[in-house]
Amino acid sequence: MTSTPRTAADDLRVVVDHWQHLRALVDTSTPSVWTPPKDVADYLRKLDEHHAAERALEVMTPAKWLARPGEHDQDAPARPEREPLALAEQPAPLRLHVVDACRAVEAALCAVADEIAAEVQRAPIKPLSRSIPGDRAGLDLALLAARDEADPQRWHYNLGGRSAVRAAEWLISRLEGKPGPCMPIDDAQRERISRIAREAARRVERTIGNDRRRGFLMDRPCPYCGASLTMHRGGTDAPTVTCENGYDCGAPVPVVEGRRTWAAPHELAALEGALEAAAHRAKRAAAKRRQRAAAGAGDTGS
């Protein structure tokens, strides 16, 4: 069973879906099981190093900040002793890394949104500098300007509406070509978004400990209902396959969290067999259609 690679939009949705999980690791108070290090001087030294690093980052671009190497970089090997979503139970210095990850991802996504918007987004509609009582055209222009300002497809450069989730959602809209005050993006802009989105998703997943298990859309539909199948693999759990149709699917496996789920080895083996049988039936049906088409063409020629 094969799967399709994750797209840039999928990477951005990782940020949208898991941002609250990441923020929760920052906002949760330090657990009572944590005790300060015996060497207070060492702890203060680590805090000083962190603040010095923050000051140094002020001269870096957001993209470099997001992808920079370090002890907790996304390419560093995962620590086997850390359980998923358990950063809140780690010593306080690791909590600074969660803050760093939040700031890095948000800065990088907002920066690339700024760059793309500057290239593809039209200038906002401006109302008249002075309103004229009874001027219908001026009133219509003011209404158009207000609607344009509130358009969810418009990216705002001001600090009020900037967030990692907002930037990710706006970039997804650009990748999917949704209508709005923007021209379509070109291949170079798409590649720029994809690179930042990939690094942002990896940074979020590694920080929350969720990078070892992912879902991949499979290239063959469900043999029982024709809906999309998703393979979930990675981490300590065994691979599973789910069908999005849930109770509407007639597959002989249980429904878990609203999806038909193949989890046991014999269930996965049976699914593989059903997929092969469906592929064989599709080939036979295609061959018969070709035969009928060829026979029809021969009758017409005679």
Side-chain angles (χ1 to χ4, degrees):
M1 291 182 281
T2 59
S3 58
T4 55
R6 199 161 66 178
T7 65
D10 294 333
D11 286 329
L12 291 169
R13 289 189 182 95
V14 168
V15 177
V16 174
D17 294 341
H18 293 295
W19 189 250
Q20 290 303 320
H21 301 158
L22 188 64
R23 291 294 308 172
L25 297 180
V26 178
D27 298 335
T28 305
S29 60
T30 304
S32 58
V33 297
W34 177 78
T35 56
K38 296 180 180 179
D39 188 352
V40 178
D42 179 64
Y43 177 56
L44 294 177
R45 178 182 56 79
K46 291 181 179 179
L47 287 178
D48 290 339
E49 291 175 353
H50 175 75
H51 294 317
E54 283 189 331
R55 288 193 295 271
L57 289 172
E58 292 177 359
V59 299
M60 297 179 66
T61 64
K64 291 181 180 178
W65 184 10
L66 179 64
R68 72 190 187 282
E71 179 185 357
H72 301 291
D73 185 71
Q74 61 270 13
D75 292 327
R79 297 186 179 185
E81 69 274 9
R82 181 184 300 171
E83 294 296 327
L85 299 176
L87 281 180
E89 300 177 4
Q90 304 301 320
L94 289 183
R95 198 170 289 275
L96 298 178
H97 168 56
V98 180
V99 176
D100 182 61
C102 289
R103 293 176 62 185
V105 170
E106 189 162 74
L109 290 179
C110 287
V112 74
D114 285 344
E115 294 172 5
I116 299 300
E119 296 169 5
V120 304
Q121 184 170 267
R122 66 163 170 78
I125 298 174
K126 296 292 185 182
L128 295 176
S129 57
R130 289 183 58 187
S131 60
I132 302 174
D135 180 14
R136 183 67 184 178
L139 179 60
D140 291 343
L141 184 61
L143 291 175
L144 282 174
R147 292 194 188 100
D148 188 45
E149 175 71 14
D151 188 346
Q153 296 302 324
R154 172 171 289 281
W155 174 252
H156 296 279
Y157 301 93
N158 61 303
L159 296 178
R162 298 168 69 85
S163 69
V165 172
R166 169 70 181 134
E169 291 174 340
W170 186 83
L171 291 170
I172 290 172
S173 296
R174 303 287 67 74
L175 290 169
E176 295 178 347
K178 291 186 178 180
C182 300
M183 298 182 296
I185 60 175
D186 58 29
D187 291 340
Q189 292 161 343
R190 187 176 296 273
E191 173 58 29
R192 198 187 323 165
I193 295 173
S194 299
R195 177 172 53 84
I196 297 299
R198 182 168 55 251
E199 294 298 331
R202 293 173 65 184
R203 188 73 178 269
V204 169
E205 289 179 321
R206 181 164 294 281
T207 304
I208 67 174
N210 196 42
D211 60 323
R212 292 184 292 271
R213 188 163 187 82
R214 295 176 179 174
F216 301 87
L217 285 176
M218 298 175 59
D219 58 359
R220 289 185 286 181
C222 176
Y224 298 94
C225 68
S228 298
L229 293 176
T230 302
M231 177 182 291
H232 308 268
R233 64 189 183 197
T236 57
D237 295 333
T240 60
V241 175
T242 59
C243 173
E244 63 180 1
N245 258 356
Y247 289 101
D248 293 331
C249 176
V253 290
V255 175
V256 179
E257 297 182 353
R259 289 170 171 255
R260 290 287 178 187
T261 302
W262 291 262
H266 70 277
E267 293 172 345
L268 292 170
L271 175 61
E272 180 68 24
L275 288 169
E276 293 296 335
H280 182 66
R281 289 194 299 269
K283 288 181 180 179
R284 291 183 59 186
K288 288 182 179 180
R289 286 194 297 269
R290 288 193 297 269
Q291 291 175 355
R292 287 195 295 268
D299 293 341
T300 303
S302 61

